[in-house]
Amino acid sequence: GSTTVKAVVLHPETSEILHRRYLRHNARQTETVHDVLQDIFRLFPGETYRTAVCGSGGRTIASLIHAFYIQEVVANSIAVKTFHPRTRVAVELGGQDAKIVFFHYDQATRRLVASDMRMNGSCAGGTGAFIDEVASLLKIPVEEFEAAAARGTHVYDISGRCGVFAKTDIQPLLNQGVSREDIALSSFHAIAKQTIGGLAQGLELRPPIVFEGGPLTFNPTLI
């Protein structure tokens, strides 16, 4: 991905997860993939692997290691349909992109079908990069941002559309003595507004909803 490398080793017959890693690559994407694969080969020596790669930069990585490349929205849709067939909406927030996939159940084929997909543009507003920027501004380690937001009690209006606009909203709040916890909570509220208003663009978010991606995995207050 844009900020992290994830690896999962599955049993070929049972799909049991045998190993998983989640690492920030700090702009060393290829090197981090190499290190992660080396760890896997050490853990499971002598095994034969059927390997697939998806996500930002995935096509290049797949070419380098002679693996299958699967576009991430396609991979995601297949996984949702396989493991969560009642899903109507999948919301995924990544390091620098955000996606919503809408599903409907096709009575004729008796299968879940991806009917619509919305993705953010070139701006990383409302994504993990947005959280990183706000955490840096508040001088809160990003690993502690969720705990700070969970302690917040009041929501202030902050722009979730762009990190630059958010900083313009946040600095006066800091000057007024607003707590960092309330600003962290307000930043999550800004992301939710951006996801619903800017991404869903009027389409209704009907449950069951699947939440995916690092920002939603590690920040239950955001959900």
Side-chain angles (χ1 to χ4, degrees), residues 7-222:
V8 180
V9 180
L10 300 175
H11 190 283
E13 296 171 3
T14 65
S15 292
E16 175 191 358
I17 295 176
L18 305 176
H19 174 71
R20 70 177 81 189
R21 289 293 300 278
Y22 183 101
L23 294 172
R24 284 186 175 247
H25 55 63
N26 299 312
R28 297 177 62 256
Q29 190 183 57
T30 305
E31 296 92 331
T32 305
V33 170
H34 174 270
D35 294 345
V36 166
L37 288 176
Q38 288 287 84
D39 287 343
I40 290 171
F41 297 152
R42 280 194 291 267
L43 284 170
F44 305 96
E47 295 289 351
T48 300
Y49 300 89
R50 188 164 183 260
T51 309
V53 183
C54 65
S56 303
R59 190 184 297 275
T60 300
I61 298 294
S63 176
L64 288 171
I65 65 174
H66 307 289
F68 296 103
Y69 171 73
I70 304 177
Q71 204 280 334
E72 62 184 288
V73 176
V74 174
N76 185 49
S77 297
I78 292 170
V80 169
K81 288 187 283 188
T82 301
F83 298 109
H84 304 282
R86 294 179 57 247
T87 300
R88 289 298 172 266
V89 179
V91 179
E92 180 186 352
L93 301 184
Q96 293 184 2
D97 60 16
K99 295 180 286 291
I100 295 183
V101 183
F102 296 86
F103 297 89
H104 77 271
Y105 187 78
D106 190 324
Q107 294 290 349
T109 62
R110 296 186 180 278
R111 296 178 62 188
L112 196 65
V113 177
S115 56
D116 202 344
M117 194 275 286
R118 305 291 171 89
M119 188 171 181
N120 66 333
S122 56
C123 181
T127 67
F130 180 88
I131 296 174
D132 286 350
E133 283 192 51
V134 175
S136 176
L137 182 62
L138 298 180
K139 296 180 172 55
I140 298 175
V142 71
E143 297 82 6
E144 299 174 15
F145 197 83
E146 156 62 25
R151 294 193 298 270
T153 58
H154 186 85
V155 171
Y156 295 87
D157 192 28
I158 293 175
S159 172
R161 185 176 180 84
C162 174
V164 176
F165 295 158
K167 289 178 181 179
T168 303
D169 292 335
I170 290 171
Q171 195 59 56
L173 295 176
L174 288 172
N175 296 343
Q176 295 164 27
V178 172
S179 72
R180 295 188 301 169
E181 289 79 4
D182 280 353
I183 294 176
L185 179 63
S186 301
S187 300
F188 280 166
H189 185 255
I191 293 173
K193 286 191 301 179
Q194 174 65 15
T195 302
I196 295 169
L199 210 55
Q201 299 172 6
L203 292 180
E204 187 177 355
L205 300 179
R206 294 181 178 177
I209 298 176
V210 170
F211 293 101
E212 306 169 281
L216 290 164
T217 299
F218 299 112
N219 299 295
T221 300
L222 176 55

